Amino acid sequence: MYLGIDIGGTKTLVASIDNEGTMTEHFKIKTPHQYETFIEELQNIVAKMTTKKFKAVGVGLPATELNREKGLAVSFGNLPWRNISIRDDLVGLLHLPVVVENDAKLAGLSEATLLKNHHKVLYITISTGIGTALIVDKVIDTSLGDGGGRTLMVEYEGKVVPWESFASGSAIVERFGKRAEDIHDSRTWAIIGNNIALGLIDVIAMTEPDIIVIGGGVGAYLARFIDPLTEALKRYDNPLLPLPPIKEAKRPEKAVVYGCYALAKATYG
């Protein structure tokens, strides 16, 4: 049995997952702004779980800078935590081996395990922000960095700005006054699809993936913007940069926690 901890900017999901990858128990809480409070609440959750014996723990963090060697989360996109030694803290709390990773990369790992015959999987999560992950032969490639759309700079309306600033879920709400789930007109989705393409084409050029998987709160509505997204990407199509197929994430809500399981099993199983 493995313990997966998906720490989000607003919610945290804690789940026990057996050796075959079946979730047996899960708890969801609001992520506290204070890190010390989070540790206390996590301890209470684990105490309530019926499973008491775990092989290892996988932790997903919305970290924009992560020192994997030291298990240190330096900075976060949407949490006020800074420079936390989360791996050592959880080893001390749970007395188990712990591996930590950026949440988008874990979601990508989770989705890649569901695909067959793909060497390089590019995962893009579009929600409050934009996260990116490259999975090569079911292994996380960290060369893409942890900043995602926050650090990828793109020319937009005559200025060079972060991709996330105009194509993320937050940017959509700011511009249109609606969340993705409430947008139904094709004109708005055409703008959204084009904005996503402006950064996505750069990531495709950097990674040359076999397939792209899009997840997150906005990604869940891929069917509404796949056509304008594809048309926008085709403007950059050339023999040296073929456009891979694009698919929607199969389990967007729980991709990170299943990625926690996959990484913990691969590392300590």
Side-chain angles (χ1 to χ4, degrees):
M1 195 73 75
Y2 295 86
L3 183 64
I5 304 173
D6 169 15
I7 303 171
T10 57
K11 296 179 181 179
T12 293
L13 175 64
V14 182
S16 58
I17 302 174
D18 67 21
N19 203 52
E20 287 69 45
T22 300
M23 186 181 298
T24 60
E25 190 175 17
H26 68 274
F27 294 86
K28 186 178 288 187
I29 62 168
K30 182 179 179 180
T31 305
H33 276 214
Q34 297 296 322
Y35 176 64
E36 294 76 12
T37 304
F38 166 76
I39 293 295
E40 292 174 4
E41 294 196 17
L42 178 63
Q43 186 175 23
N44 293 334
I45 289 174
V46 175
K48 294 177 184 177
M49 301 183 81
T50 57
T51 302
K52 302 301 179 184
K53 293 184 178 180
F54 296 98
K55 289 183 179 180
V57 184
V59 182
L61 299 160
T64 54
E65 185 178 350
L66 183 63
N67 185 321
R68 292 167 177 80
E69 183 178 350
K70 296 182 179 180
L72 175 70
V74 179
S75 61
F76 294 79
N78 48 10
L79 279 174
W81 305 352
R82 296 292 182 272
N83 298 308
I84 59 170
S85 301
I86 189 163
R87 185 184 64 194
D88 291 347
D89 292 343
L90 294 187
V91 167
L93 176 68
L94 303 172
H95 307 290
L96 291 165
V98 176
V99 60
V100 300
E101 184 52 86
N102 171 269
D103 55 359
K105 288 174 172 41
L106 288 171
L109 177 62
S110 170
E111 290 294 324
T113 61
L114 301 176
L115 299 172
K116 295 181 180 180
N117 304 318
H118 289 290
H119 168 57
K120 296 172 73 174
V121 179
L122 174 62
Y123 177 81
I124 307 292
T125 177
I126 307 171
S127 49
T128 303
I130 297 178
T132 59
L134 179 64
I135 312 300
V136 181
D137 294 330
K138 306 296 190 290
V139 176
I140 295 171
D141 184 328
T142 59
S143 64
L144 197 54
D146 299 319
R150 181 179 292 265
T151 55
L152 177 63
M153 305 302 289
V154 179
E155 184 177 347
Y156 180 71
E157 295 185 345
K159 298 180 180 180
V160 177
V161 297
W163 182 27
E164 186 175 280
S165 69
F166 63 87
S168 66
S170 295
I172 290 171
V173 172
E174 182 177 351
R175 177 168 182 175
F176 300 108
K178 296 179 181 180
R179 296 168 61 89
E181 62 202 62
D182 300 318
I183 298 173
H184 300 281
D185 64 290
S186 59
R187 183 178 179 182
T188 300
W189 279 114
I191 296 171
I192 293 170
N194 184 75
N195 288 347
I196 293 171
L198 289 175
L200 182 54
I201 192 63
D202 288 345
V203 185
I204 293 172
M206 287 187 287
T207 59
E208 299 182 356
D210 303 325
I211 189 170
I212 299 169
V213 179
I214 298 184
V218 177
Y221 299 93
L222 178 62
R224 299 184 186 180
F225 66 90
I226 184 63
D227 289 342
L229 172 63
T230 303
E231 287 301 314
L233 290 173
K234 283 181 179 178
R235 294 200 295 266
Y236 308 98
D237 196 11
N238 66 73
L240 297 178
L241 186 64
L243 297 177
I246 300 174
K247 294 185 178 295
E248 184 179 328
K250 292 184 178 180
R251 47 188 182 194
E253 295 297 323
K254 297 179 179 178
V256 176
V257 79
Y258 278 108
C260 292
Y261 152 77
L263 184 59
K265 185 176 181 181
T267 306
Y268 296 111

